[in-house]
């Protein structure tokens, strides 16, 4: 795949970039290693000052970088500005809280005495250069939620961004440099996917984080495992959105539309499978389908656009294949389901029902504005359908029955359970999944500690 900016609203190639050669990659690896030796000794106060300055610059750049993101991957412009604002918020959160999150821990006195020590501390120390392999769908947020905690912990970052968002990738490197970070603290590597393996094998790279597809995650995890390096993986998701009879059906249907089509449906944590109790199925299906039909699809630079183009021609083709397979196998189309005429890689908001386990869309992630509706006879069946997936990233449940909430929290196989609301990420809360959605956690204290050497410091009596 070429490293290029291709506008998904019209298919026009705007800029192309040459991949970095071996000599430049080596220079940057050397720089990362050398910078880490000194940056790791910096204080939390100095690190926080730099990160806040980067957040301030990002706020100033919000409109410009939003237009870059929209041009590169089609995100509706309002959502692009919101993404930039969210990144600045997360940077300030880590600047404020990192020192507390990584403070030395003191075990219980009884355990210290039992060990024969006079004092024991647990200290969090940085690992070194961390390689981040990041996707295009949230081209700022995915990077910042790795970079902010990693830099505050004293690590340095090497970014291999998706090949269709090179301008965003270069902007991020420039942002940190303008904020006052030395060159080696955060570097963008303009490379293709084939170059990742060799870089990950380099002993100077101490760990890796990847957000992306399951095949990409398998490749990185395999190499990292062979090299005995720490990884955090956030892969796909096919999140359930369960609606029970006690729910506010109007509100649930309204939120369901946003939950399905945020970022034009190209989000791992977007709700994709809507599992509705039979008592309220018809009412929910009607409201949800009406909401999906009413969405404004169009130019992502238009302030009123709610659903833009998919990020690539191949992405649209993959989504079409899933829908067409479902239709051939007997699914009913309540709205959408046909590619529109005209330029750009658009696909309409689509609702499918009559889904069976044999259909690919039941097993695979639909990365676009396509929702599948399931009817559940009772709570047990709702849990069964929700867990009938290879993925386990997040989940949404709508009920006002506390006993049902307890059951869903206990039994849903997911990294998050959102009750009467839509899945979202926040810097203070851990984010990640189970099963084929990956392992490890980003954000919160859990996320900043993922790339730390958790060190026991034992003092004799």
């Amino acid at each position: 795949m070429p490293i290029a900016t291709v506008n998904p609203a019209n298919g026009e190639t705007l800029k192309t970039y040459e991949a970095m050669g071996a000599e430049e990659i080596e220079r940057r690896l050397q720089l990362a290693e050398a910078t880490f030796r000194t940056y790791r000794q910096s204080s939390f106060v100095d690190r926080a000052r730099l990160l806040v300055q980067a957040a301030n610059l990002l706020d100033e750049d919000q409109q410009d970088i939003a237009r870059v993101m929209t041009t590169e991957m089609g995100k509706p412009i309002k959502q692009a500005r919101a993404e930039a604002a969210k990144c600045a918020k997360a940077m300030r959160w880590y600047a404020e809280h990192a020192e507390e999150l990584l403070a030395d821990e003191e075990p219980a006195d009884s355990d210290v005495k039992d060990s024969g020590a006079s004092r024991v501390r647990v200290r969090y120390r940085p690992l070194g250069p961390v390689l981040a392999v990041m996707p295009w769908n949230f081209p700022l947020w995915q990077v910042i939620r790795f970079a902010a905690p990693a830099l505050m912990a004293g690590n340095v970052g090497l970014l291999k961004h998706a090949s269709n968002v090179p301008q965003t990738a270069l902007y991020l490197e420039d942002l940190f440099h303008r904020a006052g970070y030395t060159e080696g603290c955060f570097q963008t590597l303009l490379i293709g996917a084939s170059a990742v393996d060799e870089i990950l094998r380099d002993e100077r790279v101490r760990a890796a984080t990847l957000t992306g597809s399951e095949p990409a995650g398998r490749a990185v995890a395999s190499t990292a495992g062979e090299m005995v390096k720490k990884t955090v993986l956030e892969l796909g998701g096919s999140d359930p959105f369960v609606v029970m009879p006690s729910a506010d059906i109007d509100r649930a249907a309204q939120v369901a539309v946003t939950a399905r089509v945020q970022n034009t449906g190209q989000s791992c944590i977007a709700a994709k499978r809507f599992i509705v109790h039979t008592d309220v199925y018809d009412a929910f299906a009607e409201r949800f389908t009406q909401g999906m039909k009413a969405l404004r699809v169009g130019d992502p630079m238009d302030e009123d656009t709610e659903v833009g183009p998919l990020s690539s021609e191949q992405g649209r083709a993959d989504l079409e294949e899933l829908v067409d397979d479902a239709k051939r196998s007997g699914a009913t189309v309540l709205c959408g389901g046909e590619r529109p005429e005209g330029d750009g890689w658009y696909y309409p908001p689509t609702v499918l029902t009559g889904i069976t386990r044999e259909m690919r869309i039941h097993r695979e992630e639909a990365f676009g504005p396509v929702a599948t509706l399931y009817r559940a006879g009772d709570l047990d069946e709702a849990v069964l359908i929700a867990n009938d997936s290879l993925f386990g990233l997040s989940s949404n449940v709508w009920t006002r029955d506390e006993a049902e909430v307890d059951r869903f929290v206990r039994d849903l196989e997911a990294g998050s359970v959102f009750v009467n609301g839509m899945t979202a990420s926040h810097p203070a809360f851990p984010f990640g999944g189970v099963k084929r959605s990956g392992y490890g956690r980003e954000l919160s204290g859990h996320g900043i500690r993922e790339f730390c050497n958790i060190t026991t410091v034992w003092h004799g009596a």
Side-chain angles (χ1 to χ4, degrees):
M1 181 178 181
I3 301 175
T5 296
V6 182
N7 188 341
N10 55 27
E12 180 183 357
T13 299
L14 302 176
K15 286 190 177 183
T16 58
Y17 297 82
E18 290 293 325
M20 291 177 178
E23 184 175 332
E24 177 62 11
I25 293 171
E26 172 61 23
R27 184 188 76 81
R28 287 175 178 253
L29 288 171
Q30 289 182 12
L31 185 59
E33 182 185 41
T35 301
F36 172 65
R37 294 195 197 105
T38 55
Y39 181 70
R40 66 175 299 169
Q41 300 175 39
S42 62
S43 68
F44 282 109
V45 171
D46 287 341
R47 296 175 200 169
R49 176 181 52 79
L50 291 169
L51 195 58
V52 168
Q53 177 60 16
N56 293 341
L57 290 171
L58 180 54
D59 280 338
E60 294 174 9
D61 297 343
Q62 184 184 111
Q63 182 63 34
D64 290 340
I65 188 56
R67 293 183 68 84
V68 170
M69 287 191 285
T70 296
T71 300
E72 290 200 305
M73 51 71 60
K75 186 187 302 290
I77 190 67
K78 282 185 177 179
Q79 297 179 31
R81 288 198 299 269
E83 180 174 339
K86 182 176 183 176
C87 289
K89 174 182 176 179
M91 294 159 84
R92 293 189 178 97
W93 189 89
Y94 271 109
E96 180 180 352
H97 294 284
E99 184 171 10
E100 173 190 355
L101 295 172
L102 297 180
D104 288 358
E105 297 177 9
E106 303 274 352
D109 289 344
S110 58
D111 292 326
V112 173
K113 182 178 179 181
D114 186 60
S115 75
S118 61
R119 185 187 180 193
V120 177
R121 291 169 290 156
V122 177
R123 174 162 290 184
Y124 295 94
R125 298 187 293 160
L127 287 179
V130 179
L131 174 66
V133 182
M134 293 288 109
W136 48 262
N137 57 333
F138 291 92
L140 273 187
W141 173 240
Q142 303 283 8
V143 177
I144 292 301
R145 76 184 193 192
F146 135 75
L151 289 168
M152 284 305 301
N155 297 302
V156 300
L158 294 162
L159 170 64
K160 188 283 180 225
H161 218 327
S163 293
N164 61 331
V165 290
Q167 293 185 65
T168 306
L170 292 170
Y171 166 80
L172 283 158
E173 180 181 79
D174 182 63
L175 173 70
F176 287 112
H177 293 173
R178 285 189 290 134
Y181 286 91
T182 56
E183 183 185 0
C185 283
F186 185 95
Q187 300 179 85
T188 287
L189 305 178
L190 283 185
I191 56 175
S194 61
V196 170
D197 186 79
E198 184 175 353
I199 293 171
L200 186 52
R201 291 180 183 278
D202 193 290
E203 293 295 344
R204 290 166 292 192
V205 174
R206 298 299 180 86
T209 179
L210 177 142
T211 299
S213 68
E214 187 182 336
R218 288 179 183 274
V220 165
S222 177
T223 298
E226 183 181 342
M227 301 303 295
V228 197
K229 294 183 180 181
K230 176 69 180 289
T231 54
V232 170
L233 302 181
E234 193 261 277
L235 308 178
S238 190
D239 291 1
F241 188 105
V242 183
V243 182
M244 298 299 287
S246 65
D248 179 338
I249 302 303
D250 288 336
R251 178 63 179 158
Q254 179 185 30
V255 173
V257 172
T258 303
R260 178 65 275 240
V261 302
Q262 59 176 314
N263 204 39
T264 310
Q266 300 168 118
S267 170
C268 296
I269 58 169
K272 299 183 177 77
R273 297 177 297 130
F274 297 83
I275 303 159
V276 187
H277 192 283
T278 189
D279 290 352
V280 292
Y281 179 90
D282 291 338
F284 177 88
E286 179 182 4
R287 291 163 174 75
F288 178 55
T289 303
Q290 288 175 347
M292 292 285 279
K293 285 181 178 178
L295 290 165
R296 186 185 294 269
V297 181
D299 181 355
M301 287 294 184
D302 189 325
E303 293 288 340
D304 294 325
T305 291
E306 296 169 295
V307 176
L310 296 181
S311 71
S312 69
E313 189 172 18
Q314 185 60 54
R316 181 173 69 172
D318 292 344
L319 189 66
E320 277 187 300
E321 287 182 13
L322 290 182
V323 173
D324 290 346
D325 172 77
K327 290 193 292 186
R328 287 192 301 268
S329 301
T332 299
V333 181
L334 299 184
C335 69
E338 296 290 342
R339 178 198 292 201
E341 298 293 331
D343 294 333
W345 300 315
Y346 292 91
Y347 197 82
T350 298
V351 179
L352 302 176
T353 190
I355 306 301
T356 65
R357 299 188 78 248
E358 291 71 33
M359 297 175 184
R360 287 180 55 201
I361 202 165
H362 177 76
R363 305 186 306 272
E364 300 177 29
E365 180 179 21
F367 220 58
V370 175
T372 52
L373 270 174
Y374 297 78
R375 185 189 297 265
D378 55 22
L379 187 150
D380 289 338
E381 187 177 11
V383 170
L384 187 67
I385 296 171
N387 288 339
D388 188 22
S389 172
L390 296 173
F391 300 105
L393 191 53
S394 187
S395 60
N396 310 256
V397 297
W398 287 75
T399 175
R400 288 183 269 203
D401 184 324
E402 285 303 316
E404 290 180 348
V405 171
D406 290 344
R407 173 74 187 281
F408 283 123
V409 171
R410 186 191 75 185
D411 290 347
L412 287 180
E413 297 169 350
S416 304
V417 181
F418 279 70
V419 181
N420 298 326
M422 185 182 89
T423 295
S425 54
H426 185 284
F429 310 139
F431 181 89
V434 295
K435 300 197 286 189
R436 292 192 185 177
S437 288
Y439 53 74
R441 291 294 180 266
E442 296 178 286
L443 303 177
S444 76
H446 297 278
I448 197 171
R449 297 183 194 111
E450 286 281 10
F451 295 118
C452 287
N453 175 2
I454 305 173
T455 309
T456 298
V457 182
W458 188 96
H459 297 263

